[in-house]
């Protein structure tokens, strides 16, 4: 055979054995150090079985070259012993770092040469024996790596599973801590004589589930001995603990072992490194947060004084297992749950094994949460090891067996991925690599040999999807099992345990919640089966709200009303967003559910593609007027109109809630001003269409299609400004003008009759919310006639008009009725609201005096001026009067100021240089925030209010609406005070002249 032919044949063989760089592999095989084994087929077969044959071959060459005899003993032993061959090539093909260690310490391969050292499952005692000769940090590091080599060999060869490998790593860490403490004591015998020191392992080390590369979390407990003073003893113990940490953490010529992290101690890095047992207990009993008890769940004494360590764990254990009874347990749990996602850098999200969606932390968090809830009454759950605890939860019936088996499989797969990723370079990382070669090595190390990269991606995503459903699988599904029929042999979650879980989720009435679940999900009907599919997810969304009980109760009411309707449950099951949208709406407060209960079929809005887009006046008014035209009488007509209003109010509130809270598919909107504008415009359009419908119905009652007088409705205040909130009345003026040939008295009687009929129809007692029409801004207020002719308005304003009336006209805009008459009313109003010469000093002083009097007289008694959204410091009135003063001063010369909308006028004033950009932004922020608070109060309480609710749940719900997380209502109040305080400072300067 020619040289070319032999080379081609070698390339083919190398490729067939899994080498990705045959040229480099051939070059290495030609090196003299491998001359004795170059042609041996056993060598290539063994290398081909490694995760990365190229890396394994390179490691073998380095190791052989480092041998004093040129590698003869090593190579002969490797070829003659399949167990050694598998272990050595398994390690060399998976770990570049351990290959480098073997090259630096060429005799350590013998640690893999015997069956006893390589295949037994050593514990702490065996590892202590292996480290016994280490008398300095460098030799301890070398001994640690030698032991690690044996663990890795068992792991990559499949002799141990991932759980056993993690336990061995924790045992090695325990032995290392003990040896490091012994070295610290030998270095400072005088300190050792003064104190007892116990080292408590936390985190994965404490849970016997350590990674290859991880911080080792510890807590130090110290006590004096031999009559030493406590302070002196603690100083000595602190020096010993610090020395131990340095021995393990400091980088030597062999690198560092791993960082020892004591930040889980009381007060974290700000607290003393060592405390007495009584000091620990005092802190935990008074100051500790829920996450600290969750961390203590894994506490395990590992080094130092055994009696003191055992006493520590015994003392803190009752505190751990009663943490779920703490008042702030639910809030703290929700914070911790969100912190998982918040800690992920965006560019790592798709590759994060630990913190990402469907990652390891999800499993660990859910298991620990279930332990804290149910471990109060079941000691079998008191394990710090995730898989052991998951098994106990399944055995106790707290988690379904099938669910637990799926989670166990997924967790093992993800932990194996994590181990193999870290093993390559012995670096602390939880990121899945990007490079194809790294992915190929990772996949092959896990036994995926056919199209390894694609197979790894598929398996990883499959297991992550299982974990992603863990809150349904682990936390909510068993609640249904507590109230539903189970298959033979399945374990039911007891009513007591189900109640505990609901209480931990934030349900104030667990017994009531269980009754709702039973009513919804019991039985064998198709309806009950679909409910059992939906409820686990819905329960999680309800628990995420400020009032889970209300969400579940409202869902039961809607389901009772619509449960027999074929499309209802199908909508929730099949339309991805509909169920989550419904859960958010039902648990956000009273207004939206009340609107929905009056016509539950409106739930279809939540699943329609355009369902949450409020309809504008051009869409609403034709529908309303057509409905009036079909009705038999005025009352029937307006009942239909009010039904449309209720439906559209529900659409608007649902869109607002979902836009503010966000969903899994659609995050909360970032611009509060856009939300406020959308609500204001939607409610204004709806109110205008409703009034137009009522006007048409009232006219048809007596006059058919033609009223004896032309008639228009002018919107005032927030109505005219397109800024209506959910609880706003409709401020209006009524204007009429007799038609040609009609007597003025007859026209006036007709106009008044129409107004009276409109108001009656819109306030009839029905299931629909009334619309209150307020005409108190008319000339002479309540003392003046309800309706005037256009000429009468002109005469009054010309002769008697007061400053406040001209100011009120700034927001006048025709809303219903005769459009041409409405335009002529605005022509009449313009010279009053935008006077040609602006305002003189006397007029400005009068406006300021009126504003000051209003602040003093109209603020409700006992109201906090800092928190009243309308009349309080920096609230709506402050901002609006400031903007309106600028409009009256400069509107005659600046057309952009001639708008009824506060935010537009403020922006125009900033553009014109009347207000600085910073001041305009300050005023706008305050106005938007105060408006959102008012809307939020109405959504939550179902009735209008200008102040924050006093009830803690209602206050929390308003905070959630404003974008604050659970438990941050106090932060909301602080932010409101700060925002309005800044706005008031601007008002003092701009409105009151400093």
């Amino acid at each position: 055979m020619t040289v070319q032919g032999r080379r081609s044949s070698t390339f083919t063989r190398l490729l067939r054995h899994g080498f990705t760089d045959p040229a480099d592999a051939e070059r290495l095989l030609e090196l003299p150090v491998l001359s004795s084994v170059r042609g041996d087929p056993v060598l290539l077969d063994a290398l081909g079985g490694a995760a990365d044959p190229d890396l394994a071959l390179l490691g073998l060459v380095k190791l052989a070259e480092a041998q004093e005899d040129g590698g003869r003993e090593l190579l002969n032993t490797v070829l003659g012993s399949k167990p050694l061959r598998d272990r050595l090539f398994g390690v060399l093909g998976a770990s570049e770092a351990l290959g480098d260690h073997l090259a630096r310490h060429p005799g350590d391969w013998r640690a893999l040469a015997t069956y006893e050292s390589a295949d037994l499952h050593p514990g702490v005692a065996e590892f202590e024996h292996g480290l016994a000769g280490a008398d300095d940090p460098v030799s301890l590091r070398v001994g640690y790596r030698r032991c690690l080599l044996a663990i890795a060999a068992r792991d990559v060869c499949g002799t141990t599973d991932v759980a056993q490998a993690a336990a061995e790593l924790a045992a090695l860490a325990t032995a290392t801590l003990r040896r490091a403490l012994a070295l610290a004591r030998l270095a400072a015998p005088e300190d050792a004589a003064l104190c007892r020191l116990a080292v408590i392992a936390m985190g994965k080390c404490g849970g016997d589930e350590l990674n290859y590369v991880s911080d080792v979390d510890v807590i130090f407990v110290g006590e004096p001995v031999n009559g030493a003073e406590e302070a002196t003893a603690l100083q000595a113990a602190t020096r010993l603990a610090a020395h131990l940490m340095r021995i393990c953490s400091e980088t030597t010529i062999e690198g560092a072992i791993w960082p020892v992290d004591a930040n889980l101690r009381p007060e974290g890095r700000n607290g003393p490194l060592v405390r007495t047992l009584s000091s620990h207990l005092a802190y935990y009993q008074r100051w500790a947060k829920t996450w600290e008890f969750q961390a203590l769940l894994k506490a395990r004494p590992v080094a130092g004084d055994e009696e003191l360590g055992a006493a520590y764990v015994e003392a803190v254990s009752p505190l751990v297992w009663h943490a779920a009874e703490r008042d702030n347990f639910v809030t703290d749990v929700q914070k911790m749950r969100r912190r998982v996602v918040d800690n992920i850098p965006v560019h790592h999200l798709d590759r994060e094994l630990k913190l990402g969606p469907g990652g390891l932390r999800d499993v660990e968090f859910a298991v620990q949460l279930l332990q804290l809830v149910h471990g109060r009454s079941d000691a079998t759950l008191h394990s710090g090891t995730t898989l052991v605890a998951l098994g106990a939860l399944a055995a106790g019936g707290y988690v379904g067996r099938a669910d637990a088996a799926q989670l166990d499989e997924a967790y093992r797969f993800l932990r194996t991925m994590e181990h193999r990723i870290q093993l390559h370079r012995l670096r602390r990382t939880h990121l899945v690599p990007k490079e194809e070669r790294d992915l190929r090595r990772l996949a092959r190390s896990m036994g995926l040999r056919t199209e390894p990269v694609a197979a790894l991606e598929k398996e990883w995503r499959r297991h992550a999807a299982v974990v992603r459903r863990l809150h349904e699988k682990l936390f909510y599904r068993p609640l249904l099992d507590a109230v539903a029929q189970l298959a033979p042999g399945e374990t039911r979650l007891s009513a007591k345990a189900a109640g505990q879980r609901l209480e931990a989720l934030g349900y104030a009435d667990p017994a009531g919640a269980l009754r709702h679940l039973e009513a919804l999900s019991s039985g064998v009907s198709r309806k009950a089966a679909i409910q059992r599919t939906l409820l686990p997810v819905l329960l999680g969304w309800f628990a995420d709200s400020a009032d889970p009980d209300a969400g579940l109760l409202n869902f039961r009411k809607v389901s009772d009303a619509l449960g027999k309707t074929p499309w209802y449950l199908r909508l929730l099951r099949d339309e991805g967003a509909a169920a989550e949208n419904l859960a958010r709406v039902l648990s956000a407060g009273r207004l939206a559910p009340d609107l929905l209960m009056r016509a539950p079929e409106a739930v279809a809005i939540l699943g329609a593609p355009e369902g949450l887009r409020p309809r504008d006046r051009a869409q609403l008014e034709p529908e309303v007027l057509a409905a009036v035209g079909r009705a038999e009488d005025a009352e029937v007509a307006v009942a239909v109109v009010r039904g449309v209003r209720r439906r559209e109010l529900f659409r608007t509130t649902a869109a607002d809630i979902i836009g503010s809270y966000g969903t899994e598919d659609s995050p909360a909107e970032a611009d509060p001003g856009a939300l406020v504008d959308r609500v204001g415009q939607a409610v204004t359009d709806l109110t205008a269409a409703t009034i137009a419908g009522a006007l048409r119905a009232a006219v048809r009652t007596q006059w058919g299609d033609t009223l004896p007088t032309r008639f228009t409705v002018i919107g005032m205040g927030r109505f005219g400004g397109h800024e209506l909130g959910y609880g706003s009345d409709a401020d209006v003026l009524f204007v009429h003008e007799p038609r040609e040939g009609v007597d003025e008295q007859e026209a006036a009687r007709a106009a008044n009759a129409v107004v009276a009929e409109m108001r009656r129809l819109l306030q009839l007692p029905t299931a629909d919310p009334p619309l209150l029409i307020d005409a108190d801004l008319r000339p002479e207020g309540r003392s003046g006639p309800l309706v005037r002719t256009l000429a009468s308005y002109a005469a009054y304003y010309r002769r008697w008009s007061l400053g406040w009336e001209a100011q009120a006209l700034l927001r006048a805009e025709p809303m219903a009725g005769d459009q041409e008459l409405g335009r002529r009313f605005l022509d009449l109003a313009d010279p009053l609201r935008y006077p040609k010469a602006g305002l003189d000093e006397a007029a400005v002083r009068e406006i300021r005096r009126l504003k000051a009097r209003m602040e003093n007289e109209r603020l409700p008694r006992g109201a906090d001026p800092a928190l009243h959204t309308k009349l309080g410091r920096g609230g709506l009135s402050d901002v609006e009067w400031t903007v309106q003063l600028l409009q009256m001063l400069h509107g005659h010369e600046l057309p952009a100021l001639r708008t009824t909308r506060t935010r537009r006028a403020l922006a125009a004033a900033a553009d014109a240089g009347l207000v600085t950009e910073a001041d305009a932004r300050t005023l706008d922020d305050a106005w938007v925030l105060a408006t959102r608070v008012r809307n939020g109060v109405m959504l939550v309480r179902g009735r209008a209010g200008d102040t924050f609710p006093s009830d803690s749940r209602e206050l929390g719900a308003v905070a959630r609406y404003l974008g604050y997380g659970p438990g941050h209502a106090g932060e909301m109040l602080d932010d409101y005070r700060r925002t309005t305080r800044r706005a008031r400072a601007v008002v003092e300067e701009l409105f009151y002249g400093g």
Side-chain angles (χ1 to χ4, degrees):
M1 182 182 290
T2 65
V3 173
Q4 184 73 22
R6 285 197 303 272
R7 178 165 296 173
S8 175
S9 173
T10 302
F11 264 58
T12 302
R13 280 192 302 135
L14 291 171
L15 285 170
R16 191 170 62 246
H17 280 88
F19 288 87
T20 58
D21 189 351
D24 191 55
E26 186 179 28
R27 179 184 63 78
L28 292 174
L29 288 168
E30 294 293 330
L31 291 174
V33 74
L34 296 184
S35 60
S36 63
V37 296
R38 184 175 301 127
D40 196 322
V42 173
L43 177 65
L44 274 187
D45 288 342
L47 288 169
D52 186 339
D54 301 85
L55 182 63
L57 176 57
L58 178 61
L60 178 65
V61 169
K62 289 180 178 179
L63 177 58
E65 289 178 338
Q67 303 298 313
E68 292 183 358
D69 64 352
R72 286 187 298 276
E73 180 189 359
L74 166 70
L75 295 172
N76 290 337
T77 308
V78 164
L79 289 183
S81 171
K82 186 177 188 305
L84 172 62
R85 197 162 58 241
D86 290 344
R87 296 171 202 137
L88 180 61
F89 290 170
V91 169
L92 292 177
S95 179
E96 181 181 322
L98 288 179
D100 291 343
H101 170 82
L102 284 169
R104 287 196 307 273
H105 303 280
D108 279 4
W109 67 269
R110 292 184 176 84
L112 307 177
T114 62
Y115 179 88
E116 289 75 19
S117 65
D119 289 331
L120 291 179
H121 302 315
V124 177
E126 287 78 11
F127 287 125
E128 281 191 288
H129 178 73
L131 300 176
D135 54 7
D136 59 65
V138 174
S139 59
L140 181 60
R141 173 66 164 174
V142 174
Y144 173 83
R145 280 291 180 94
R146 188 182 303 116
C147 294
L148 193 66
L149 183 67
I151 294 174
R154 286 187 290 272
D155 181 13
V156 297
C157 291
T159 308
T160 58
D161 65 6
V162 65
Q164 180 62 37
E168 290 183 15
L169 289 165
L172 175 57
T174 298
T176 305
L177 288 169
R178 291 179 181 179
R179 187 59 193 161
L181 181 57
L183 293 178
R185 288 178 176 276
L186 286 172
E190 65 284 359
D191 285 339
L194 290 173
C195 65
R196 300 164 64 197
L197 178 64
V199 183
I200 311 297
M202 306 285 285
K204 290 190 180 302
C205 184
D208 278 318
E209 50 188 12
L210 196 60
N211 293 332
Y212 276 102
V213 187
S214 176
D215 292 355
V216 171
D217 297 305
V218 299
I219 286 176
F220 296 107
V221 188
E223 295 287 348
V225 294
N226 298 330
E229 292 184 359
E230 183 175 295
T232 303
L234 288 179
Q235 290 171 357
T238 299
R239 288 190 290 269
L240 290 174
H243 193 178
L244 177 152
M245 295 175 70
R246 286 196 302 275
I247 290 171
C248 296
S249 305
E250 284 185 347
T251 301
T252 68
I253 57 173
E254 290 287 336
I257 300 177
W258 20 247
V260 176
D261 189 341
N263 288 337
L264 291 179
R265 67 187 184 268
E267 300 180 80
R269 62 185 62 188
N270 296 320
L273 184 61
V274 183
R275 288 175 182 257
T276 63
L277 177 55
S278 61
S279 176
H280 276 94
L281 289 177
Y283 172 84
Y284 289 129
Q285 289 166 348
R286 186 170 184 184
W287 303 110
K289 297 181 175 66
T290 300
W291 70 263
E292 294 179 274
F293 294 112
Q294 185 173 350
L296 284 169
L297 192 153
K298 293 181 177 290
R300 178 173 65 92
V302 291
D305 192 294
E306 294 182 6
E307 184 180 343
L308 179 58
Y312 175 87
V313 172
E314 183 180 357
V316 300
S317 182
L319 301 176
V320 172
W321 300 113
H322 288 281
E325 299 169 5
R326 294 162 61 93
D327 291 339
N328 58 347
F329 178 75
V330 175
T331 301
D332 289 345
V333 163
Q334 290 171 331
K335 286 179 184 176
M336 287 186 286
R337 193 166 135 198
R338 285 172 178 79
R339 196 176 298 136
V340 170
V341 177
D342 293 342
N343 285 340
I344 308 174
V346 175
H347 57 287
H348 288 168
L349 187 62
D350 292 338
R351 299 190 297 124
E352 250 287 358
L353 269 180
K354 181 178 180 180
L355 301 178
L360 292 162
R361 180 65 63 80
D362 279 351
V363 181
E364 294 160 355
F365 179 84
V367 169
Q368 291 165 22
L369 194 55
L370 288 171
Q371 287 180 273
L372 290 173
V373 171
H374 301 299
R376 291 176 286 179
S377 55
D378 189 345
T380 65
L381 305 181
H382 295 189
S383 172
T385 306
T386 301
L387 291 178
V388 173
L390 180 57
L393 287 165
Y398 305 102
V399 176
R401 290 194 181 104
D403 297 342
Q406 268 192 305
L407 255 300
D408 183 286
E409 181 189 8
Y411 187 72
R412 288 174 186 273
F413 183 89
L414 296 174
R415 282 300 302 273
T416 302
M417 278 187 72
E418 181 185 45
H419 275 196
R420 301 297 160 79
I421 290 169
Q422 293 184 346
L423 186 58
H424 180 222
R425 290 194 172 93
L426 288 181
R427 291 178 183 170
R428 185 186 181 204
T429 179
H430 312 286
L431 293 179
V432 178
K434 292 180 180 179
E435 299 297 326
E436 183 166 349
R437 178 171 179 174
D438 292 331
L439 289 170
R440 184 173 181 273
R441 181 190 61 256
L442 175 60
R444 284 170 58 91
S445 77
M446 299 179 68
L448 303 171
R449 298 299 173 106
T450 303
E451 296 187 2
V453 175
L456 176 67
E457 177 75 17
K458 180 180 177 181
E459 285 297 292
W460 173 29
R461 298 304 179 189
R462 179 175 72 84
H463 287 297
V466 171
V467 175
R468 213 171 292 138
R469 299 193 300 272
L470 66 93
H471 281 286
E472 173 189 349
K473 291 289 186 182
L474 285 186
F475 217 84
Y476 303 112
R477 176 86 58 193
L479 291 170
L480 299 189
D481 294 343
V483 297
Q485 297 298 316
L486 300 181
E490 290 192 34
T491 306
R492 180 194 295 265
L493 188 68
S494 70
K496 178 181 178 182
Q500 287 177 337
R501 189 171 299 188
L502 285 164
E503 185 180 0
L505 284 167
Y507 288 82
D509 181 12
L514 282 174
R515 288 194 297 272
H516 298 323
L517 291 178
E518 185 170 13
L520 287 164
S521 63
S522 292
V524 294
S525 67
R526 181 174 175 275
K527 170 186 171 184
I530 296 176
Q531 291 280 27
R532 286 194 290 271
T533 301
L534 291 170
L535 277 166
V537 186
L538 291 169
L539 282 169
W541 288 325
F542 293 148
D544 227 9
S545 72
D547 194 349
D549 299 83
L552 181 56
L553 173 61
N554 289 331
F555 179 70
R556 180 180 175 184
K557 288 179 179 178
V558 173
S559 294
D560 286 348
L562 293 176
K564 295 182 180 179
T565 308
W567 56 264
Y568 166 63
L569 290 175
R570 188 169 62 245
L571 170 77
L572 299 185
R573 182 192 63 194
D574 299 339
E575 294 293 336
E580 184 174 4
N581 289 342
L582 179 61
R584 300 301 184 203
V585 167
L586 293 180
S587 56
R590 296 180 184 175
L591 180 60
D594 285 350
L595 293 168
L596 181 59
M597 298 310 171
R598 290 164 180 168
E601 65 276 3
V603 76
I605 289 171
L606 301 176
E610 300 294 318
L612 293 173
R613 180 173 294 177
R615 302 171 69 201
D616 61 24
R617 186 174 173 182
Q619 296 170 300
L620 291 170
E621 197 162 307
E623 177 185 358
V624 165
L625 295 180
V628 171
R630 292 190 298 267
E632 299 175 359
D633 58 46
E635 291 190 5
V636 172
V638 174
V640 174
V641 172
R642 290 173 66 179
V644 171
R645 177 171 178 262
R646 178 237 312 123
R647 180 197 71 204
E648 296 305 319
L649 268 178
F650 174 72
R651 189 193 308 275
T652 302
T653 57
D656 188 18
I657 289 166
I658 292 162
S660 298
Y661 286 59
T663 65
E664 289 183 2
D665 297 326
S666 177
E669 294 190 29
D671 183 3
L675 286 168
V676 163
D677 290 345
R678 191 181 310 158
V679 170
Q681 186 64 58
V683 179
T684 298
D685 285 349
L686 181 54
T687 301
T690 303
I691 289 175
L695 174 59
R696 175 71 62 85
V699 169
R700 291 185 65 214
T701 301
Q702 298 183 44
W703 298 280
D705 292 329
T706 306
L707 191 66
T709 186
R710 301 172 73 181
F711 187 90
T712 190
V713 180
I714 305 297
M716 301 288 284
R718 297 194 181 285
F719 187 23
H722 297 256
E723 298 164 352
L724 285 179
Y726 299 119
S728 302
D729 295 345
D731 291 314
V732 299
L733 298 179
F734 298 113
V735 185
H736 78 104
E737 185 176 69
R739 295 187 185 277
E740 188 175 349
V742 176
D743 179 71
E744 284 197 13
Q745 289 186 347
E746 179 188 352
R749 283 195 297 270
N752 278 284
V754 165
V755 171
E757 180 68 357
M758 285 174 59
R759 300 178 83 178
R760 183 186 75 84
L761 291 171
L762 290 173
Q763 296 180 46
L764 281 173
T766 69
D768 297 313
L771 174 59
L772 300 178
I773 294 178
D774 187 342
D776 288 352
L777 291 177
R778 64 187 184 270
E780 302 177 82
R782 296 181 182 180
S783 303
L786 195 59
V787 189
R788 288 177 182 262
T789 64
L790 183 63
S792 175
Y793 276 103
Y796 175 85
Y797 286 134
R798 183 171 57 250
R799 187 172 183 184
W800 304 107
S801 175
L802 300 174
W804 71 265
E805 291 174 307
Q807 184 178 347
L809 288 171
L810 285 166
R811 306 178 91 179
E813 185 170 312
M815 289 296 180
D818 191 298
Q819 294 184 10
E820 195 274 334
L821 180 60
R823 282 195 295 271
R824 286 198 285 132
F825 179 86
L826 293 188
D827 291 340
L828 166 69
D830 279 349
L832 294 165
R833 55 185 179 176
Y834 310 123
K836 285 186 177 180
L839 296 176
D840 58 24
E841 280 296 321
V844 172
R845 281 197 303 272
E846 177 62 15
I847 290 174
R848 290 170 175 166
R849 186 183 65 80
L850 284 172
K851 174 71 168 64
R853 192 178 78 183
M854 185 180 70
E855 290 179 15
N856 291 329
E857 296 178 0
R858 294 182 60 189
L859 189 70
R861 180 175 297 177
D864 184 351
L867 295 176
H868 196 280
T869 59
K870 183 177 180 180
L871 301 174
R873 179 192 68 198
L876 297 171
S877 177
D878 269 1
V879 177
E880 289 164 1
W881 281 61
T882 301
V883 172
Q884 289 161 16
L885 179 59
L886 292 172
Q887 288 179 284
M888 297 185 78
L889 284 168
H890 305 284
H892 65 287
E893 59 186 1
L894 296 173
L897 284 174
R898 299 172 203 165
T899 175
T900 63
R901 307 182 189 208
T902 302
R903 297 188 72 209
R904 287 188 185 177
L906 181 57
D911 289 342
L914 304 176
V915 182
T916 67
E917 289 289 342
D919 285 350
R921 188 163 51 250
T922 298
L923 293 177
D924 186 71
D925 288 346
W927 191 89
V928 167
L929 180 55
T931 303
R932 291 205 74 209
V933 170
R934 293 181 96 203
N935 284 342
V937 169
M938 183 67 185
L939 284 171
V940 169
R941 304 182 69 190
R943 61 181 188 273
D946 291 318
T947 59
F948 289 90
S950 56
D951 178 83
S952 60
R953 284 218 171 204
E954 292 179 345
L955 187 66
V958 172
R960 295 298 301 277
Y961 170 74
L962 292 179
Y964 293 86
H968 288 274
E971 183 181 336
M972 169 188 68
L973 295 177
D974 290 342
D975 287 348
Y976 183 86
R977 290 187 181 97
R978 180 168 52 253
T979 300
T980 53
R981 184 173 62 247
R982 291 171 178 167
R984 179 64 181 195
V986 175
V987 171
E988 294 283 358
E989 180 66 30
L990 294 178
F991 184 82
Y992 290 110

